[in-house]
Amino acid sequence: MSFFALCFKCLVFTANAQGRSIPIKLNLYNDPFVATADASVQIAVDTVLTQKGIKEFYSKVNSSQYKLITDSLIAYKKEHQLNDWLYYQLVRRVAEQISPKKENYPRYTLYKWFLLAKTGYDAKLAVANNKLIFYVYNDEDIRDIPFFMIDGKKYMCLNYHDYPKTDLNEDVPYQVKIEVPGATMAFSYAVTRMPDFKPEAYFDKQLAFVYEHKQYSFKIKLNKTVDSLFTNYPGVSFKSYFNIPLTKETYGSLIPLLKQNVKGMDEKKGVDYLMRFTRYAFLYEDDEVSYGKEKRMSPEETLFNTYSDCDDRAALFFYLVKVIYNRPMIALLFPTHLTIAVQFDKPVGGESIIYNGKAYWVCEPTLQPEDLKIGQLATKYKHQPFEVVYQYQPEAYPNGL
């Protein structure tokens, strides 16, 4: 683009921006997010990145009426108790309405960074071979995505998925140093509470499996938006992974029915029922085949998707045992497998695993060549080393029924 054409485009953009404001309304969660982007917020950005251009964007947008948006974001986040990852999904969509991603990716990314930083998060920018890299301070154990260190603090890349073929060891980013007052908070990937969604946004999905020659059928409610919220969710710690809950509608369509089905069973048989539900109600497929990479799905994603692997089954089974029986559990990581062991009040047969002085029995939620009972480990894993990667010890664990 010539210098004249670029200047003309900027003049047209500025003239249009001065004449109007942008009403923002998003129906991502149950209650709509409503705000107004003042015309002064719209800043022209060249797609050719320079430190000077990025700093000029910040100077201009920082002088605009941006608080109309950031105050609304902070209030919405507080009212709905959004975890950081779910709040960031809202920020992304607000930035998209101000500056569509397809029209100017650097500009869209700059708005994401600005909105996150101006609502308190320690977010940074860097440039690598005309790629705008967006980082945020995070002190958790996260895998799958690159990070860099600044003054002893770790910053995770929030937009690496937009540059899937980029090697940041070769295209080394250089930081764009912009100090944003008040941007000090660490960002957490832990999702401990799911927001509410409109009931009419859910659809019904049929699940079925056979237990002791009887078929059990389920009609559960699922929402496509929930699956999309975790599209670029990274490999978090096992503690964070195993504690992602279901949404209210999905929980209400599944958990009461499972509780009713196991009500007349003793605890061992009830756990066996949940183990076999997780094992047989879903089709198995390796993530490498389904997604081209390893992807740990939340319990609701496993319910939503056609295929899932051992990580996904382990997380779903863990969740079901936790909400129905609230038993102590450990997660066992083998070189190529993940499974769960449950602690019972008395021996239940099979071989136990002793961990920190307590006995746990393997409950295999993933289909294996053998019909494994509680306390049985698949033959191919019996002589393999494993690591206990997560221990769940509830403060109290009543029957839960």
Side-chain angles (χ1 to χ4, degrees):
M1 181 181 294
S2 69
F3 176 77
F4 174 79
L6 178 61
C7 289
F8 178 76
K9 182 178 180 181
C10 290
L11 287 170
V12 171
F13 177 88
T14 303
N16 289 339
Q18 289 176 345
R20 63 183 177 85
S21 58
I22 302 175
I24 297 174
K25 184 174 181 180
L26 293 166
N27 293 310
L28 180 60
Y29 304 127
N30 188 25
D31 295 330
F33 172 81
V34 179
T36 300
D38 186 82
S40 62
V41 170
Q42 292 203 313
I43 310 299
V45 174
D46 190 357
T47 54
V48 178
L49 298 168
T50 65
Q51 291 231 16
K52 181 182 177 182
I54 292 170
K55 289 179 179 180
E56 285 180 351
F57 166 85
Y58 174 71
S59 178
K60 291 177 182 178
V61 75
N62 194 47
S63 300
S64 72
Q65 299 297 317
Y66 69 84
K67 285 181 67 65
L68 293 171
I69 305 173
T70 55
D71 287 351
S72 297
L73 282 168
I74 292 169
Y76 190 93
K77 178 192 175 191
K78 182 177 180 180
E79 179 183 356
H80 297 280
Q81 303 175 49
L82 294 181
N83 294 128
D84 293 348
W85 176 257
L86 299 176
Y87 172 66
Y88 175 57
Q89 306 314 305
L90 177 64
V91 167
R92 288 177 56 228
R93 286 159 174 80
V94 171
E96 173 74 23
Q97 288 209 359
I98 299 172
S99 178
K101 180 177 180 178
K102 289 183 179 179
E103 291 182 6
N104 188 325
Y105 178 79
R107 185 169 179 262
Y108 158 76
T109 304
L110 285 172
Y111 279 109
K112 284 197 301 179
W113 161 76
F114 182 80
L115 293 175
L116 204 61
K118 280 297 182 178
T119 53
Y121 293 90
D122 185 359
K124 305 289 187 186
L125 292 170
V127 176
N129 194 21
N130 204 45
K131 298 179 178 70
L132 187 59
I133 312 298
F134 172 31
Y135 293 85
V136 68
Y137 170 47
N138 172 271
D139 58 5
E140 299 168 324
D141 178 19
I142 306 296
R143 64 180 183 87
D144 294 359
I145 51 179
F147 65 90
F148 71 95
M149 303 296 295
I150 301 177
D151 298 330
K153 296 167 66 175
K154 183 180 66 173
Y155 290 80
M156 307 301 302
C157 183
L158 273 173
N159 67 332
Y160 184 63
H161 57 275
D162 289 326
Y163 303 113
K165 296 182 180 180
T166 297
D167 184 348
L168 294 180
N169 291 316
E170 294 182 1
D171 291 335
V172 180
Y174 59 88
Q175 184 188 357
V176 182
K177 294 184 179 181
I178 300 175
E179 296 298 326
V180 181
T184 59
M185 291 193 305
F187 182 92
S188 174
Y189 286 92
V191 176
T192 58
R193 181 185 181 278
M194 291 297 293
D196 292 334
F197 296 87
K198 292 183 181 299
E200 58 268 26
Y202 285 76
F203 67 93
D204 293 334
K205 179 179 179 179
Q206 295 287 343
L207 293 175
F209 85 113
V210 175
Y211 184 72
E212 293 190 343
H213 308 293
K214 178 181 177 180
Q215 178 159 317
Y216 291 85
S217 298
F218 305 84
K219 185 169 70 173
I220 61 174
K221 294 186 176 299
L222 297 168
N223 188 331
K224 292 180 180 179
T225 302
V226 176
D227 189 57
S228 70
L229 290 175
F230 289 94
T231 298
N232 297 310
Y233 194 63
V236 296
S237 69
F238 283 100
K239 180 179 180 180
S240 294
Y241 177 50
F242 281 115
N243 286 286
I244 301 173
L246 298 177
T247 60
K248 182 173 68 176
E249 291 289 329
T250 299
Y251 181 101
S253 67
L254 176 64
I255 302 303
L257 185 54
L258 286 174
K259 286 184 176 183
Q260 182 62 35
N261 289 347
V262 302
K263 189 173 183 179
M265 303 177 186
D266 62 31
E267 202 166 72
K268 176 191 174 183
K269 189 170 183 179
V271 171
D272 182 68
Y273 175 92
L274 298 177
M275 176 182 75
R276 293 176 186 277
F277 166 76
T278 313
R279 188 187 294 176
Y280 297 118
F282 311 94
L283 297 175
Y284 181 90
E285 187 72 88
D286 285 332
D287 286 343
E288 291 289 342
V289 176
S290 298
Y291 303 100
K293 63 177 183 178
E294 179 64 22
K295 174 180 169 60
R296 295 181 191 160
M297 292 194 288
S298 70
E300 197 147 340
E301 286 181 284
T302 299
L303 294 171
F304 178 89
N305 285 283
T306 303
Y307 300 103
S308 52
D309 68 2
C310 63
D311 291 4
D312 314 319
R313 311 299 179 93
L316 176 60
F317 174 71
F318 173 91
Y319 178 81
L320 297 179
V321 174
K322 178 182 176 182
V323 298
I324 295 177
Y325 290 107
N326 204 22
R327 299 299 310 178
M329 289 176 278
I330 53 176
L332 311 178
L333 180 63
F334 293 82
T336 60
H337 188 59
L338 182 69
T339 192
I340 300 294
V342 179
Q343 183 186 132
F344 294 91
D345 288 332
K346 58 184 179 181
V348 294
E351 297 182 9
S352 64
I353 293 173
I354 306 301
Y355 182 72
N356 287 344
K358 300 291 185 179
Y360 297 81
W361 281 264
V362 171
C363 299
E364 180 54 70
T366 303
L367 183 66
Q368 301 294 330
E370 307 110 307
D371 181 21
L372 300 174
K373 300 177 181 179
I374 289 179
Q376 293 182 329
L377 188 64
T379 301
K380 60 182 175 181
Y381 302 122
K382 283 185 177 180
H383 302 293
Q384 290 188 11
F386 66 84
E387 177 186 0
V388 176
V389 290
Y390 179 56
Q391 179 183 23
Y392 173 69
Q393 183 62 48
E395 295 182 3
Y397 43 95
N399 186 277
L401 298 177

